[in-house]
Amino acid sequence: MGESLQPRECTGANENPRPRMTRRAFITCSLLGIGAASAATAGIVLGRPVHPRSSGAALDKLSTFPELDGTLTDASDVIARYLEDSQGVAVLRGTYYLDGPVEVPHNVTQLVLPATSALHVRGNHPALTRLGKVTFRETTWRDMPEKTMRLDVRNSSLYKAGETVLLSGANVVPNSKDRYGYLRRVTAVDAGTISIDTPLPRTIDDVARTSSVELAPPLWVSGSGQIVSDEPSAMFSPLVHFFATEGPKITGVRIGHSGAAGVTLSHCIGGLVDCEITDLLDDGEAHFGYGVNITGATRDARVLGTMSRVRHAVTTNTGQHLEGVGYAGEPENCYFAPQASNCSNKAIDTHRVGWGIVIVPHVVGGHGGVQVRSDNATVKGGSVEDSSGPGIFVSSVVKVPTSISDVSVQALSTGQTGILCKGPADISDARINLTGGTGIEIFNDSTVSGGSVIGTPDTGLVINGVRNTVDGLAVGPTVRRQSVVVKPDDNNRVLLAAAPMR
């Protein structure tokens, strides 16, 4: 693949910048805190800043800095020194401006921003980061089959039980250019083999490789203070970025008024985002204001909280460039259930990378409820209402079917579709109440069981493809047409139930 196979280390830096601001370059910049211009001209390493210590200048033990609180003076160095000298819980009281990112050191386990506190980002960089390391280890040249928990390696002496590794290669997710990769714990090491804690969902058989992952210890950012950007149009970085971190948490804090993601998790294990994120720019060209961006091989993360006036309340993306590895990583087994309102695109989203994502929508308004582009996703329970886009959309790029169950879709804009599945899906017990439009529309290799379509939609059910089965869907008496089967002789079976009451 033309990549060096020597051990290399990554702490979140893009060492392969691109000459123009493509969508992938934007995503990379937003992950790293690198501006469009600087990303195009230099490789910038995101790491611990150097903080010269002033002799005799003791840090305030009450975690306030009167000489900086409420002023426009850069406070990033002083805050960084305070955190370096802290142990366990650290509290930041006051209003401070940051001209550089503050990396929260590993000795701090909780950072509290009380209600009266605010961090203002000045420039294009995160306010807060927590950074672990990903270091390329070896190209194994051995296949890593899906569903197995025992893998062949070239040099088993490089591994130890209990460590975390990134398993990746040059394989890409079907219908995309994105490489997948997965974080796994090593449970045992034997001659020529290692055992891992959970099976791989996909086979890695193209230049299979391993990387060691030094996870940063857990950090909990809490309180009800604010983290904002002072110039959103110049911001391409997440306001809070966790890279290779164990169980990161951010709760209660108010985040927003920026030009990129509110919170990004990259190559993390576990974690919780349960805060308020609002007012992120989204022009679809330079600014993609994701409330929470779950990236790389992040697994088992949970996203709750309240998100409004953003592009997507939460989405998935491939990880940034890792030296010796490339762009790799597929978010896995994450849970998305934020309260989302007035999003400028689909409120809850996955890009093509993503495996086993569970979505519980709580969506009001905006331009669509749920958009699934990843494989093996589940939409379960919850509701979508008053949206000007489809309630739930499954893209044609999907290969492994989406499961949709017990969801309520109502009061969409006239002409919209309650559930639109261009890719394969299994839909059960959905409740759809519309004025105009279509209740459920499916294409190929899908099933619909139970559920109802009521109100006054133009059509209850549309089948546009082949090999579909509908069993027990109830279509109300005021629906103008119960069903339309475009290809009735192509292995489509339709059995509607008795009409429910309006």
Side-chain angles (χ1 to χ4, degrees), residues 174-175 202 350 352 354-359 372-379 392-405 421-428 442 444-448 467-468:
N175 292 333
R202 306 185 196 269
T350 68
R352 186 67 188 105
W355 182 273
I357 306 299
V358 175
I359 296 169
V372 175
R373 293 177 276 185
S374 62
D375 286 338
N376 192 35
T378 297
V379 182
I392 300 171
F393 173 70
V394 177
S395 171
S396 61
V397 300
V398 170
K399 287 294 187 182
V400 181
T402 301
S403 173
I404 302 169
S405 65
C421 298
K422 293 189 174 182
D426 297 313
I427 305 165
S428 62
I442 56 179
N444 301 318
D445 302 302
S446 294
T447 65
V448 179
R467 299 180 302 276
N468 298 289

Side-chain angles (χ1 to χ4, degrees), residues 139-158:
T139 300
T140 67
W141 302 110
R142 274 75 165 170
D143 292 353
M144 299 179 181
E146 65 178 281
K147 301 182 180 179
T148 187
M149 295 176 64
R150 192 175 181 89
L151 306 174
D152 294 328
V153 295
R154 292 174 65 193
N155 187 354
S156 55
S157 67
L158 297 175

Side-chain angles (χ1 to χ4, degrees), residues 207-236:
V207 197
R209 63 194 70 184
T210 66
S211 302
S212 67
V213 181
E214 297 177 51
L215 292 170
L219 171 65
W220 180 14
V221 179
S222 65
S224 54
Q226 297 185 67
I227 302 175
V228 298
S229 168
D230 260 26
E231 191 178 355
S233 63
M235 186 69 160
F236 301 91

Side-chain angles (χ1 to χ4, degrees), residues 59-65 79 81-93 104-114 130 218-223 249 251:
L59 295 174
D60 192 313
K61 298 303 181 184
L62 297 177
S63 66
T64 60
F65 312 102
I79 291 174
R81 292 199 301 273
Y82 162 68
L83 296 178
E84 287 173 353
D85 290 345
S86 299
Q87 291 292 330
V89 179
V91 182
L92 285 178
R93 296 184 176 89
V104 182
H106 295 181
N107 48 281
V108 175
T109 59
Q110 182 177 358
L111 177 60
V112 182
L113 297 176
R130 175 73 132 200
L219 171 65
W220 180 14
V221 179
S222 65
K249 290 173 56 178
T251 63

Side-chain angles (χ1 to χ4, degrees), residues 81-416:
R81 292 199 301 273
Y82 162 68
L83 296 178
E84 287 173 353
D85 290 345
S86 299
Q87 291 292 330
V89 179
V91 182
L92 285 178
R93 296 184 176 89
T95 298
Y96 303 105
Y97 284 78
L98 306 178
D99 287 343
V102 174
E103 181 185 343
V104 182
H106 295 181
N107 48 281
V108 175
T109 59
Q110 182 177 358
L111 177 60
V112 182
L113 297 176
T116 56
S117 298
L119 298 179
H120 291 257
V121 171
R122 203 160 44 194
N124 177 31
H125 55 83
L128 302 172
T129 66
R130 175 73 132 200
L131 304 178
K133 297 178 182 178
V134 178
T135 305
F136 170 76
R137 177 170 284 171
E138 69 166 348
T139 300
T140 67
W141 302 110
R142 274 75 165 170
D143 292 353
M144 299 179 181
E146 65 178 281
K147 301 182 180 179
T148 187
M149 295 176 64
R150 192 175 181 89
L151 306 174
D152 294 328
V153 295
R154 292 174 65 193
N155 187 354
S156 55
S157 67
L158 297 175
Y159 303 85
K160 61 182 180 180
E163 72 169 339
T164 300
V165 292
L166 172 63
L167 307 175
S168 65
N171 298 86
V172 299
V173 176
N175 292 333
S176 83
K177 296 180 180 179
D178 294 327
R179 295 182 181 182
Y180 51 82
Y182 306 98
L183 292 178
R184 291 294 182 268
R185 310 275 196 189
V186 176
T187 59
V189 179
D190 296 302
T193 67
I194 61 172
S195 298
I196 54 177
D197 60 340
T198 57
L200 296 177
R202 306 185 196 269
T203 294
I204 301 172
D205 58 8
D206 187 355
V207 197
R209 63 194 70 184
T210 66
S211 302
S212 67
V213 181
E214 297 177 51
L215 292 170
L219 171 65
W220 180 14
V221 179
S222 65
S224 54
Q226 297 185 67
I227 302 175
V228 298
S229 168
D230 260 26
E231 191 178 355
S233 63
M235 186 69 160
F236 301 91
S237 309
L239 284 166
V240 179
H241 182 200
F242 296 98
F243 175 85
T245 299
E246 178 95 42
K249 290 173 56 178
I250 179 165
T251 63
V253 180
R254 294 170 292 156
I255 294 174
H257 298 282
S258 190
V263 177
T264 292
L265 273 60
S266 304
H267 301 298
C268 295
I269 293 183
L272 170 67
V273 179
D274 187 3
C275 57
E276 179 183 345
I277 302 177
T278 63
D279 298 295
L280 302 177
L281 295 182
D282 172 31
D283 56 21
E285 296 181 1
H287 297 283
F288 300 88
Y290 308 137
V292 181
N293 197 12
I294 302 296
T295 76
T298 295
R299 59 182 269 196
D300 305 323
R302 294 171 57 86
V303 178
L304 306 176
T306 302
M307 322 287 176
S308 62
R309 298 182 297 280
V310 299
R311 181 177 177 88
H312 305 306
V314 55
T315 191
T316 61
N317 268 298
T318 189
Q320 71 259 30
H321 188 272
L322 303 175
E323 189 170 359
V325 177
Y327 296 92
E330 179 170 40
E332 183 183 14
N333 298 336
C334 296
Y335 179 87
F336 299 162
Q339 304 282 334
S341 62
N342 300 317
C343 296
S344 54
N345 205 287
K346 312 301 186 297
I348 304 177
D349 175 66
T350 68
H351 282 85
R352 186 67 188 105
V353 286
W355 182 273
I357 306 299
V358 175
I359 296 169
V360 182
H362 305 286
V363 177
V364 177
H367 292 279
V370 174
Q371 177 169 259
V372 175
R373 293 177 276 185
S374 62
D375 286 338
N376 192 35
T378 297
V379 182
K380 184 175 183 179
S383 63
V384 178
E385 59 182 279
D386 294 324
S387 174
S388 63
I392 300 171
F393 173 70
V394 177
S395 171
S396 61
V397 300
V398 170
K399 287 294 187 182
V400 181
T402 301
S403 173
I404 302 169
S405 65
D406 197 32
V407 66
S408 171
V409 179
Q410 60 183 337
L412 301 182
S413 296
T414 301
Q416 291 297 328

